[in-house]
Amino acid sequence: MKGSRVAKRYARALLDLADKGNEEKWGAELERLAAMVESPELLERLASPELSEQSRLDAMAKIAERLDLSFPLRSFAVVLARHGRIREIGAIAESYRDQLDQAMGRERATLIFAMKPTDAEVARVVSGLETIAKLKIIPTVKIDPALLGGVTAEMGGKIYDGSLATRLAEAKRRLAG
């Protein structure tokens, strides 16, 4: 769903409306709205054809109000409901984040360590990725004990594997000739 044209269009429209300096705030608000609306029981009710359009609009307005969203995001929530795009809210939020990251010259990376890394270890990996990407890296750290040691990084659809298991397999391959 991330790649849907509709999600990209709505995200682009919201990003274009954002005042300078509010882009991050709006993104965080959109993510909160998406997290709330995408809860299974709520999403099914909001997107149900049995719900009248006015009830759907009122429900989205109330949800946005309860989340204490800014006026533009409250309006955006109602627009999504009016145009039948409630099911796409998660993809829209993700597309907004991706487009904002691109505009701000940054990239997100998932770093997977075998055990909890120190701040220095994370900083060293992030620094290496920033050199490769020539962008500011926003890391998400995960732990996977199955790695044994080392780190793998997923960034921009590519995986950089520096895990101990991969290094041992490479050594074994070289020794086997």
Side-chain angles (χ1 to χ4, degrees), residues 113-115 144-150 163-166 168:
F113 289 86
M115 56 186 167
D144 181 5
L147 283 181
L148 301 176
S163 66
L164 182 58
T166 299
L168 290 172

Side-chain angles (χ1 to χ4, degrees), residues 10-30 70 72-73 76 96 99-100 103-104:
Y10 277 87
R12 169 56 50 206
L14 185 61
L15 191 56
D16 288 346
L17 288 173
D19 301 324
K20 223 30 166 176
N22 279 339
E23 301 97 338
E24 297 280 356
K25 178 183 174 223
W26 285 18
E29 289 182 6
L30 182 58
S70 60
L73 265 293
F76 188 71
Y96 181 93
Q99 290 179 37
L100 180 58
M104 303 287 275

Side-chain angles (χ1 to χ4, degrees), residues 40-60:
E41 61 279 350
L42 187 55
L43 182 60
E44 289 309 312
R45 289 193 180 165
L46 285 172
S48 171
E50 296 172 2
L51 190 63
S52 73
E53 183 176 352
Q54 190 57 49
S55 296
R56 189 179 342 274
L57 297 176
D58 291 344
M60 282 299 279

Side-chain angles (χ1 to χ4, degrees), residues 59-129:
M60 282 299 279
K62 282 205 185 304
I63 290 168
E65 184 180 334
R66 289 242 171 108
L67 289 173
D68 197 31
L69 302 182
S70 60
F71 178 75
L73 265 293
R74 289 180 191 190
S75 299
F76 188 71
V78 173
V79 167
L80 292 177
R82 183 175 297 124
H83 294 279
R85 303 298 185 192
I86 292 174
R87 287 192 184 277
E88 306 226 17
I89 194 165
I92 293 168
E94 191 174 339
S95 183
Y96 181 93
R97 187 189 68 216
D98 291 346
Q99 290 179 37
L100 180 58
D101 284 348
Q102 186 177 13
M104 303 287 275
R106 34 183 213 210
E107 178 84 42
R108 293 182 188 268
T110 301
L111 310 179
I112 303 172
F113 289 86
M115 56 186 167
K116 183 160 176 43
T118 64
D119 291 342
E121 290 169 329
V122 172
R124 194 174 82 226
V125 173
V126 166
S127 175
L129 291 173

